[in-house]
Amino acid sequence: MQAFEMIRPQSAAEAVQLGAQQGAGSQDQGRPAVRFLAGGTTLLDLMKLNVEQPHQVLDINRLQDGLAQVESTPGSGLKIGALVRNSDLAHHPLVMQRYPVLSQALLSGASAQLRNMATTGGNLLQRTRCVYFRDTATPCNKREPGSGCSAIGGYNRNLAILGGSDNCIATNPSDMNVALTVLEATIHVEGSGGRRAIPIADFYLLPGNTPQRETVLNPGDLITHVTLAPLPAGVRTAYLKLRDRASYEFALSSAAVIVGVNAGNGRISHAKVALGGVGTRPWRSPEAEAVLLNAPANADTFAQAAQAAVRNAVPRSENGFKVDLVQRCLVHALNTVTGTVKSRSV
């Protein structure tokens, strides 16, 4: 780990000012100038590996701007502060009652100890677990633009089949982000240019030719909170995660679904689908949603939706099994949420 200066700003405005002045996210001889520190469950790991080498770290844990609160919004939506810990959010009564898919996703991630530290804002910015990104001895376009992508011809079992490019196939590792994607969350940011509300669909960038840029955030931008709109009456939600072991493991495939079924004709009246473990960003699937909407809630429909979800998949040398696995994952989640099978942990 490289030496750095620790600063503790007293307000969100001061944190933004300091971050913008020092060019947070910019490069100085290969070192990002400034990073915000909340739970540190990703940042500190990467600093120890010398993947992240900031000159200054801004500790935002003491900010008194309502960043650690969960509260209702008008119309029975929800406002989630960026410093809310994952454990607190997963067990919050309003989340469990109104957005169980978010609670399920959070509780399937990491370990209890890490969930006690990790924050909402930090989880949104969680970086890939690609082994080449975390190994400074190997080429990685995300870590060092223009150096090459070692994963494409190397170890890629855990990496993306959707949204990749010739420059990067790293997956977004977060469970929470998949749930927030299916819930169509809005991410609120305070920066030197003012305040912005960014739909999560616009927040993450595909790797393309610039895999080092993962979000639309500018230098000094600070996530302050996330808002969720109320769900339509009568819908049900579920999050299903498939992984190599039952705990403390990242998804090989996951699915977050929100489905409403018309009791009169048995047809699907509302359908939202997001996938994890298979995309370079939390992967919303309008293709699957189009198949589901107004179709009968049965096995044939679910199979067709799953096939549509992977229509544009590009498997690599070791992750072709994900094409089938994510289909099975989505079908099982849809069966669960429509009552065809009982919910269970995987």
Side-chain angles (χ1 to χ4, degrees), residues 258-260 268-273 284 288-290 292-293:
I258 304 175
V259 176
I268 297 170
S269 57
H270 185 91
K272 303 294 179 186
V273 173
R284 182 75 178 270
E289 294 170 1
L292 292 168
L293 195 60

Side-chain angles (χ1 to χ4, degrees), residues 38-256:
T41 55
T42 291
L43 177 62
L44 294 181
D45 275 354
L46 295 178
M47 288 173 67
K48 291 175 183 178
L49 294 170
N50 285 324
V51 174
E52 291 274 9
Q53 299 179 22
H55 293 299
Q56 293 181 330
V57 173
L58 305 183
D59 183 352
I60 61 173
N61 285 288
R62 292 170 173 78
L63 299 188
Q64 301 297 317
D65 300 88
L67 272 64
Q69 298 176 0
V70 178
E71 54 190 344
S72 288
T73 58
S76 297
L78 204 65
K79 177 182 178 181
I80 304 165
L83 291 179
V84 174
R85 307 291 163 169
N86 285 179
S87 290
D88 294 335
L89 184 59
H91 293 290
H92 197 283
L94 292 178
V95 175
M96 297 176 70
Q97 177 186 357
R98 300 179 189 174
Y99 308 98
V101 65
L102 178 56
S103 178
Q104 293 165 7
L106 285 163
L107 291 174
S108 73
S111 65
Q113 294 89 339
L114 287 171
R115 292 194 296 268
N116 288 341
M117 289 297 297
T119 63
T120 301
N123 205 325
L124 283 165
L125 300 176
Q126 186 178 175
R127 308 202 70 186
T128 184
R129 304 297 294 195
C130 175
V131 295
Y132 300 107
F133 171 72
R134 296 169 65 86
D135 181 0
T136 58
T138 60
C140 170
N141 286 321
K142 186 179 289 292
R143 177 170 34 78
E144 186 179 350
S147 62
C149 177
S150 299
I152 289 178
Y155 178 73
N156 52 50
R157 178 178 182 269
N158 299 328
L159 301 184
I161 59 173
L162 293 166
S165 72
D166 290 339
N167 295 296
C168 184
I169 55 172
T171 47
N172 184 291
S174 170
D175 295 289
M176 182 194 80
N177 294 345
V178 181
L180 290 181
T181 296
V182 83
L183 291 168
E184 300 178 311
T186 299
I187 301 166
H188 297 260
V189 174
E190 187 170 333
S192 58
R195 296 178 178 177
R196 291 184 290 160
I198 307 169
I200 196 167
D202 300 327
F203 185 74
Y204 294 102
L205 301 174
L206 293 174
N209 294 322
T210 56
Q212 73 277 10
R213 189 161 187 233
E214 298 172 350
T215 73
V216 297
L217 294 183
N218 296 317
D221 279 353
L222 177 69
I223 297 173
T224 56
H225 61 281
V226 174
T227 53
L228 302 176
L231 292 177
V235 300
R236 297 181 63 190
T237 74
Y239 183 75
L240 178 64
K241 178 177 181 178
L242 305 181
R243 47 192 163 176
D244 284 326
R245 57 189 180 194
S247 66
Y248 196 40
E249 184 61 274
F250 294 89
L252 291 172
S253 299
S254 67

